[in-house]
């Protein structure tokens, strides 16, 4: 169990680079309102912005970085390869297009969004990311929603271990077995939808009791749970107050509190049934 939640110091990846311990999810943050929300987050201290080609807002993310007073070199922008761009040549084109849309020479973190095993091209896609990294187009590379079997195939066929695997992870889906695989391989775990179904989770006594003890919000407690698991949450919020709250460090949860929150895991805990074996995005 990790204690990374005690600070917001950047975390070292297996490629020697560093990544902020918490990021801002940007799904749905589009147009001028989206840009304003992202600029707000940067002003509050966020230094990792998570987008994707499939979100349709790479331009807004890049524009927010340009409008912010934070130097661009201090911000890590993560984006993702969608299903239609799997395959070596298509992935190289997608990387080039993302760089143009974001307005950057080098992308901070580039992930394969979903493995799409029915296409059977995620190894080629990974090889393209490795080449882009080696040629300086991308700083760090990783995957998203990859199972243990997908990871074993990637590493077995290329010898290159992803720096990050971003997976659905929240108290209703603690992903213990998947996290153990990441720890064994030296892959950093990122959590998408880290707060699960909002009120359904945040009103549980397993969350509200430690929140009261720590004088924290229920959301802060759940984010602290992620950090103590050794996972790096990427919560989404357009509200400056919630952005500030999500970024604030919180006191340590006890082992019993951690176990109680993890015990909220349940069969079929995925938010919308996103199965890495069948989801095509």
């Amino acid at each position: 169990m990790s204690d990374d939640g005690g600070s917001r110091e950047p975390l070292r990846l297996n490629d020697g680079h560093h990544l902020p311990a918490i990021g801002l999810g940007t799904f749905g943050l589009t147009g001028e309102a989206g840009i304003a929300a992202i600029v707000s987050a940067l002003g509050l201290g966020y230094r990792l912005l998570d987008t994707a080609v499939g979100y349709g807002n790479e331009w807004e993310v890049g524009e927010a970085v340009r409008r912010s007073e934070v130097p661009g070199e201090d911000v890590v922008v993560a984006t993702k390869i969608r299903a239609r761009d799997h395959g070596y040549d298509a992935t190289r084109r997608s990387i080039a297009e993302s760089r143009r849309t974001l307005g950057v020479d080098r992308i901070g973190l580039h992930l394969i969004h979903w493995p799409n095993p029915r296409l059977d091209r995620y190894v080629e896609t990974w090889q393209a990311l490795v080449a882009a990294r080696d040629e300086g187009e991308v700083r760090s590379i990783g995957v998203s929603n990859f199972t243990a079997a997908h990871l074993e195939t990637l590493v077995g066929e290329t010898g290159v271990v992803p720096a990050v695997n971003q997976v659905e992870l929240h108290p209703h889906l603690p992903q213990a077995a998947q996290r153990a695989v990441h720890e064994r391989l030296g892959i950093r775990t990122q959590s998408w939808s880290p707060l699960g179904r909002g009120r359904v989770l945040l009103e549980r006594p397993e969350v509200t009791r430690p929140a009261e003890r720590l004088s924290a919000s229920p959301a802060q407690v759940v984010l602290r749970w992620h950090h103590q698991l050794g996972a790096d949450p990427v919560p989404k919020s357009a509200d400056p107050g919630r952005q500030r709250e999500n970024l604030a460090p919180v006191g340590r949860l006890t082992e019993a509190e951690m176990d109680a929150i993890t015990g909220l895991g349940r069969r079929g805990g995925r938010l919308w049934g996103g199965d890495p074996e069948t989801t095509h995005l």
Side-chain angles (χ1 to χ4, degrees):
M1 192 176 293
S2 172
D3 191 24
D4 293 329
S7 72
R8 290 296 179 265
E9 292 299 316
L11 305 166
R12 185 178 176 86
L13 302 176
N14 62 19
D15 61 7
H17 295 296
H18 289 78
L19 199 65
I22 187 169
L24 179 77
T26 70
F27 178 77
L29 300 183
T30 58
E32 285 297 321
I35 293 170
I38 299 166
V39 170
S40 165
L42 290 169
L44 291 170
Y46 287 85
R47 293 296 179 267
L48 170 62
L49 305 176
D50 182 77
T51 183
V53 172
Y55 296 174
N57 69 347
E58 286 183 318
W59 183 84
E60 284 92 335
V61 170
E63 180 65 10
V65 174
R66 288 186 288 275
R67 292 188 192 181
S68 169
E69 295 181 359
V70 179
E73 59 268 23
D74 293 343
V75 181
V76 178
V77 175
T79 192
K80 309 178 189 78
I81 304 291
R82 60 186 171 179
R84 73 179 68 175
D85 294 322
H86 275 220
Y88 188 91
D89 291 339
T91 295
R92 292 305 298 264
R93 289 193 294 270
S94 178
I95 294 167
E97 180 62 26
S98 287
R99 289 168 61 208
R100 285 192 293 271
T101 305
L102 289 165
V104 298
D105 293 328
R106 184 169 69 160
I107 293 168
L109 176 64
H110 218 129
L111 311 177
I112 303 175
H113 204 158
W114 289 84
N116 290 287
R118 75 179 186 182
L119 296 177
D120 196 24
R121 292 180 178 172
Y122 64 84
V123 173
E124 295 176 54
T125 302
W126 183 242
Q127 290 168 331
L129 278 174
V130 172
R133 181 199 64 183
D134 292 347
E135 294 171 20
E137 296 177 10
V138 178
R139 192 188 74 167
S140 294
I141 56 176
V143 295
S144 182
N145 302 299
F146 272 51
T147 67
H150 300 142
L151 293 171
E152 288 170 6
T153 298
L154 276 193
V155 177
E157 296 202 21
T158 69
V160 180
V161 179
V164 168
N165 189 13
Q166 185 183 110
V167 297
E168 180 181 354
L169 202 165
H170 44 76
H172 288 154
L173 189 69
Q175 297 268 34
Q178 187 69 43
R179 287 186 286 106
V181 171
H182 295 173
E183 186 172 357
R184 174 171 58 82
L185 293 175
I187 297 171
R188 196 74 203 172
T189 302
Q190 275 190 343
S191 312
W192 62 262
S193 288
L195 300 177
R197 294 186 184 276
R199 287 189 177 181
V200 174
L201 172 64
L202 300 181
E203 292 179 356
R204 293 285 308 211
E206 294 88 344
V207 174
T208 59
R209 281 194 294 263
E212 183 176 355
R213 180 181 69 82
L214 294 167
S215 299
S217 72
Q220 287 175 320
V221 166
V222 174
L223 295 175
R224 175 64 183 177
W225 173 83
H226 283 271
H227 287 297
Q228 284 186 219
L229 286 181
D232 310 329
V234 185
K236 174 207 157 184
S237 179
D239 179 79
R242 290 196 183 94
Q243 290 174 349
R244 183 181 293 105
E245 176 183 290
N246 291 344
L247 194 64
V250 173
R252 185 172 178 81
L253 297 171
T254 67
E255 186 174 347
E257 289 168 340
M258 288 291 296
D259 290 344
I261 296 172
T262 302
L264 294 172
R266 59 195 187 191
R267 193 176 185 85
R270 294 188 184 278
L271 296 180
W272 51 271
D275 184 346
E277 294 295 344
T278 58
T279 298
H280 184 72
L281 291 173

